[in-house]
Amino acid sequence: MDVFDNQNDLIAAVAAAKKADKRIGFVPTMGALHDGHLSLVNMGRREADFVVVSIFVNPTQFAPDEDFEAYPRDTERDISILEGAKVDCAYLPSVDEIYPNGVASNLQAGEAAKGLESEFRPHFFDGVCSVVHRLFEIVQPDVAIFGKKDYQQLMVVREMVKAQRLDIEILGAPIVRDVHGLALSSRNAYLSDAELKVARRLNLILKHDRPTPNAILKAGFDKVDYIEERWGRRLCAAWIGKTRLIDNVPAS
Ligand code: PAF
């Protein structure tokens, strides 16, 4: 696996793969990789001949009071995981390479961004659209894979790709859960053992008929940002202590 920290090397590797008629698959990540990411990579390997994975903790999708500094980072471990997953190319850009004109969002998310996450993280989807668009510009993939755990993000990215007329297929990969049904997330690393027990109840509650915020609070969560149905899914964001979890299940 090639590991690149600058776009010129990456662009040359992708150009060579395209010249060899390879379909380019792309999985953007913020690192702290887990089995959820591996399922995206595996989908990428099924759907493409040459898979690029980026690791970039994107500052513009974090508000000043969020966990940008504390976000889990372990590059060595991530690279060895990607090597094991037979990724062709890992791309770890600098902040300057992604934001040459200064760290700020330069794209506005569309309709799909309205409500849900945006009520609580108004900056978030502009940051996601900006970084994903910039990464697409550099990687030039044929297909890109996003997890359905971040369901609204998947919808926002699809809308952005259509609005920008990018010729990139966007695929959603199924949510990967632990044996208790907890959706895998890099932020699960923040949970203590007691908090983990509470977190594992969320998916069970979401599967109930008409679950209420109160049912989530009763299960031990400290705050519910939203529980709402859209796109045929029931989506929820809730806090345990300082950790915010999101999940979604099919709406009944
Ligand atoms: O889902 C994520 O990990 C991030 O939002 C993404 C898509 C890599 C953009 O920074």
Side-chain angles (χ1 to χ4, degrees):
M1 180 179 80
D2 286 318
V3 181
F4 297 130
D5 60 7
N6 81 83
Q7 57 178 321
N8 295 335
D9 292 338
L10 177 85
I11 289 167
V14 169
K18 285 196 175 188
K19 209 169 166 202
D21 249 354
K22 292 189 175 170
R23 181 167 152 86
I24 311 299
F26 177 46
V27 180
T29 81
M30 298 207 299
L33 301 179
H34 50 66
D35 285 351
H37 295 107
L38 282 185
S39 80
L40 308 185
V41 169
N42 289 337
M43 187 179 258
R45 290 187 48 224
R46 286 195 301 276
E47 296 288 333
D49 313 300
F50 186 91
V51 176
V52 179
V53 176
S54 63
I55 298 177
F56 180 70
V57 185
N58 173 35
T60 63
Q61 67 191 75
F62 291 80
D65 60 338
E66 292 183 345
D67 56 345
F68 175 69
E69 295 298 340
Y71 196 82
R73 291 166 171 89
D74 191 342
T75 307
E76 254 178 58
R77 182 179 164 275
D78 287 346
I79 286 178
S80 87
I81 288 175
L82 294 180
E83 237 150 8
K86 305 212 178 327
V87 164
D88 295 283
C89 189
Y91 175 46
L92 288 78
S94 65
V95 171
D96 285 348
E97 185 150 285
I98 297 296
Y99 295 106
N101 303 317
V103 179
S105 293
N106 50 12
L107 261 189
Q108 254 193 322
E111 279 296 304
K114 298 226 165 100
L116 300 169
E117 285 297 297
S118 296
E119 289 281 319
F120 302 88
R121 309 182 69 197
H123 57 283
F124 179 67
F125 286 121
D126 290 350
V128 168
C129 284
S130 302
V131 75
V132 168
H133 186 267
R134 175 82 180 116
L135 287 166
F136 283 174
E137 218 169 51
I138 296 168
V139 178
Q140 298 283 321
D142 298 297
V143 57
I145 296 106
F146 293 80
K148 286 188 181 169
K149 184 177 87 61
D150 300 284
Y151 205 86
Q152 190 178 13
Q153 170 172 277
L154 174 63
M155 297 297 112
V156 167
V157 168
R158 281 213 170 117
E159 192 182 22
M160 182 272 281
V161 163
K162 209 168 162 195
Q164 299 289 322
R165 298 173 196 270
L166 304 179
D167 187 16
I168 301 171
E169 186 182 2
I170 303 298
L171 295 178
I175 300 175
V176 179
R177 299 179 179 279
D178 74 4
V179 285
H180 305 275
L182 173 66
L184 299 192
S185 160
S186 304
R187 289 190 168 100
N188 292 353
Y190 299 149
L191 299 169
S192 67
D193 287 349
E195 290 174 333
L196 197 56
K197 273 192 181 159
V198 174
R200 285 176 169 151
R201 295 186 191 131
L202 182 61
N203 72 99
L204 301 173
I205 299 168
L206 287 182
K207 284 181 198 147
H208 281 179
D209 253 3
R210 301 183 192 286
T212 59
N214 218 20
I216 297 170
L217 294 174
K218 264 196 184 158
F221 280 79
D222 295 302
K223 194 173 145 220
V224 179
D225 278 352
Y226 60 80
I227 173 163
E228 206 175 305
E229 294 188 1
R230 208 192 280 185
W231 304 297
R233 309 289 298 182
R234 180 173 295 140
L235 306 109
C236 176
W239 292 82
I240 309 175
K242 290 186 174 153
T243 307
R244 185 175 189 269
L245 298 180
I246 62 170
D247 199 355
N248 68 86
V249 299
S252 45

